[in-house]
Amino acid sequence: TPLCCNFWDENYNNIDCNQEAVNLFELSSKQEYLDRFFELSPEYQPDGRLSSEKAVEKIKQAFETGHARFEWMHQKLNGEPIPSEITLVRVKRKEGYIVLGYTRDLRELKETVALLNQLERLAFTDGLTGMYNRRHFIKKEQKAFVNFQNNQKCISIMMMDLDYFKRVNDTYGHAAGDEILKSVSQTAQSALRNSDLLARYGGEELTIVLAETDKEQARFAAERIRQAVEFKVIRAYDEELTATISIGIATFPDDAS
């Protein structure tokens, strides 16, 4: 097998291993692996359990039921963690049984998953503000609209625009404009509910979907955001700046044509 593999007897003694086990932990020999096996796991597993107790429990389970599979944190002798998946299998050996333990190194898999999650975030978020981007907003907004339409519930959409934004860029530079955009986005986000969706629609435009919100409730929310932005002092490259916004509101079904 290309996997790290070791062997346990009925007294829970580690009695043998293959060369892949030696290679995985960068050891000199099988004997070093067997002699120092309990140094190849931290004292506690990520779930808070003692490694020694959890190992015995899982080996016992494999002897009793024939198999066990679980996640495990291994480590090299230098302390470098090796997240792993362990599969234990009971096999017949002469007059008794032993348990084979296969270790699957999850480092590459976890790195791949982390990379995919990062790429997904990049695909759905605006690089400057950290909010959702236009593409993701349209996708989510369309789903929300269909859902609320089918359930005959109201839904409101706001379109926010920073006032005189070109003047800010021309006077203080685009870097200062970027700081204002980020600050306004964060201020607006902090004034919303968890169920609301905020996105950068493009340029200095932000848009918000307010779930189960009628026109009057949307106006109240818009005023709350407008005031929060107006009274926010934004520090940008030794300058103290302020910003104002204009907000338009459309509500379904009131404004449906």
Side-chain angles (χ1 to χ4, degrees), residues 3 37 49 66 80 101 129 152 187 197 209 237 239 241 249:
L3 297 176
F37 179 78
R49 300 187 59 188
E80 179 185 337
T129 64
Q152 297 183 331
T187 301
L197 174 67
V209 175
Y237 303 96
E239 297 282 353
L241 307 175
I249 301 170

Side-chain angles (χ1 to χ4, degrees), residues 74-93:
H74 271 304
Q75 64 181 18
K76 295 182 182 179
L77 292 179
N78 63 7
E80 179 185 337
I82 303 178
S84 308
E85 181 186 71
I86 307 297
T87 302
L88 302 179
V89 181
R90 182 186 65 200
V91 297
K92 183 73 173 176
R93 182 180 182 235

Side-chain angles (χ1 to χ4, degrees), residues 40-106:
L40 303 178
S41 297
E43 183 178 6
Y44 290 92
Q45 287 297 300
D47 60 7
R49 300 187 59 188
L50 276 169
S51 293
S52 55
E53 292 181 358
K54 185 173 181 178
V56 169
E57 176 192 305
K58 294 299 183 181
I59 296 169
K60 181 179 180 181
Q61 177 186 339
F63 271 113
E64 292 176 350
T65 66
H67 69 277
R69 179 175 293 173
F70 51 95
E71 288 199 0
W72 185 269
M73 184 60 71
H74 271 304
Q75 64 181 18
K76 295 182 182 179
L77 292 179
N78 63 7
E80 179 185 337
I82 303 178
S84 308
E85 181 186 71
I86 307 297
T87 302
L88 302 179
V89 181
R90 182 186 65 200
V91 297
K92 183 73 173 176
R93 182 180 182 235
K94 297 181 180 179
E95 68 282 357
Y97 291 93
I98 60 171
V99 162
L100 275 61
Y102 297 94
T103 299
R104 182 185 178 198
D105 184 353
L106 297 181

Side-chain angles (χ1 to χ4, degrees), residues 119-247:
L119 291 174
E120 183 178 28
R121 286 194 298 271
L122 290 174
F124 290 154
T125 58
D126 172 59
L128 175 63
T129 64
M131 305 301 164
Y132 288 124
N133 60 22
R134 179 173 178 168
R135 181 199 306 175
H136 186 63
F137 166 78
I138 292 174
K139 180 179 178 181
K140 297 287 285 188
E141 182 269 339
Q142 288 174 341
K143 285 186 177 181
F145 181 79
V146 171
N147 178 58
F148 284 99
Q149 186 178 36
N150 292 339
N151 290 285
Q152 297 183 331
K153 293 181 179 179
C154 57
I155 181 172
S156 291
I157 298 177
M158 293 182 189
M159 183 67 76
M160 298 168 44
D161 194 6
L162 272 74
D163 300 329
Y164 310 112
F165 190 66
K166 183 178 184 303
R167 184 186 302 172
V168 172
N169 283 333
D170 291 344
T171 304
Y172 300 101
H174 288 274
D178 288 348
E179 290 301 316
I180 289 177
L181 266 174
K182 289 190 287 186
S183 178
V184 170
S185 299
Q186 293 164 2
T187 301
Q189 182 70 70
S190 65
L192 296 173
R193 304 166 298 182
N194 291 335
S195 58
D196 299 329
L197 174 67
L198 170 65
R200 184 182 180 190
Y201 199 73
E204 68 272 24
E205 295 177 333
L206 303 173
T207 188
I208 302 171
V209 175
L210 302 167
E212 298 187 40
T213 303
D214 61 27
K215 179 84 73 177
E216 191 59 32
Q217 292 170 327
R219 285 175 178 160
F220 181 81
E223 180 60 18
R224 184 173 67 246
I225 295 170
R226 188 197 66 77
Q227 289 187 14
V229 170
E230 182 179 5
F231 292 110
K232 175 76 171 180
V233 176
I234 304 164
R235 295 189 178 276
Y237 303 96
D238 298 326
E239 297 282 353
E240 290 190 352
L241 307 175
T242 58
T244 60
I245 55 175
S246 299
I247 304 177

